[in-house]
Amino acid sequence: MKISSRGASVLMAAALLGLAGCAGGGDDNEAAPPAAPETSAMPESSAMPTAGESSAAAGSVDLKTANSSLGEIVVDGKGMTVYYFTKDEKDSGVSNCTGDCIVAWPPVLTESDSPKVDGVTAEIGTIETPEGKKQVTIDGMPVYYWQKDTKPGDVTGQNVNEVWYVVAPDGTMIR
């Protein structure tokens, strides 16, 4: 079947109107979600990386510092807070967070043997996860995200079960 360019334009316009109708579809009283602030450190989605994702994009820092309600803390390159798990042993080379724990507390991963930092004065390294990935360590302790931190600056994992704590730039555990 042959369609004129005018007919094709009409069909395209109708299709776009149909798609636009699918996008709205809610109560006119609902407020649109707020736009995320623009910053080069923000992730495309403000959600925390999953256990299989690297914490920082190539060429950016893996860890940096940020001011929070708990003072100056260590965050990943996207601004997501990182935590220590007190059941880990310093310099053991392994994480004690496994099974359901790793679902709630994904490891901070990197692609590099020498993660890049900005403002973090503690010793930074890596350990190998059971899946063969590189988990970032601060002063010999693995670091993690908290699944309930949904945006940069969240520190909702602080003191969870009295075993999870944010990290200061010098590597001390903020209790």
Side-chain angles (χ1 to χ4, degrees):
M1 166 162 75
K2 188 173 183 180
I3 298 176
S4 70
S5 62
R6 177 172 160 78
S9 296
V10 170
L11 286 173
M12 180 64 78
L16 289 174
L17 285 173
L19 287 174
C22 293
D27 184 350
D28 288 339
N29 294 326
E30 288 181 13
E38 287 189 36
T39 173
S40 61
M42 283 287 290
E44 283 186 35
S45 161
S46 61
M48 163 191 67
T50 63
E53 293 179 326
S54 177
S55 63
S60 67
V61 296
D62 288 287
L63 298 175
K64 62 183 183 175
T65 62
N67 289 316
S68 76
S69 60
L70 300 170
E72 191 174 20
I73 62 170
V74 178
V75 298
D76 75 357
K78 298 174 184 175
M80 299 303 292
T81 304
V82 303
Y83 297 87
Y84 280 144
F85 181 40
T86 60
K87 294 184 179 183
D88 283 333
E89 294 181 39
K90 182 178 177 157
D91 297 322
S92 69
V94 297
S95 165
N96 288 318
C97 181
T98 59
D100 289 342
C101 176
I102 209 75
V103 173
W105 298 91
V108 176
L109 301 175
T110 184
E111 299 292 322
S112 173
D113 288 328
S114 301
K116 294 180 183 179
V117 298
D118 183 15
V120 180
T121 58
E123 183 180 332
I124 306 300
T126 63
I127 60 171
E128 191 171 319
T129 68
E131 299 77 29
K133 306 264 184 191
K134 293 176 185 155
Q135 182 173 3
V136 177
T137 61
I138 300 176
D139 279 350
M141 293 281 287
V143 289
Y144 308 84
Y145 298 107
W146 170 228
Q147 69 174 352
K148 293 186 180 178
D149 282 352
T150 59
K151 64 185 181 308
D154 282 353
V155 290
T156 64
Q158 178 68 0
N159 199 31
V160 168
N161 296 327
E162 299 179 350
V163 295
W164 294 97
Y165 297 95
V166 298
V167 184
D170 66 359
T172 57
M173 189 177 300
I174 298 175
R175 292 184 183 248

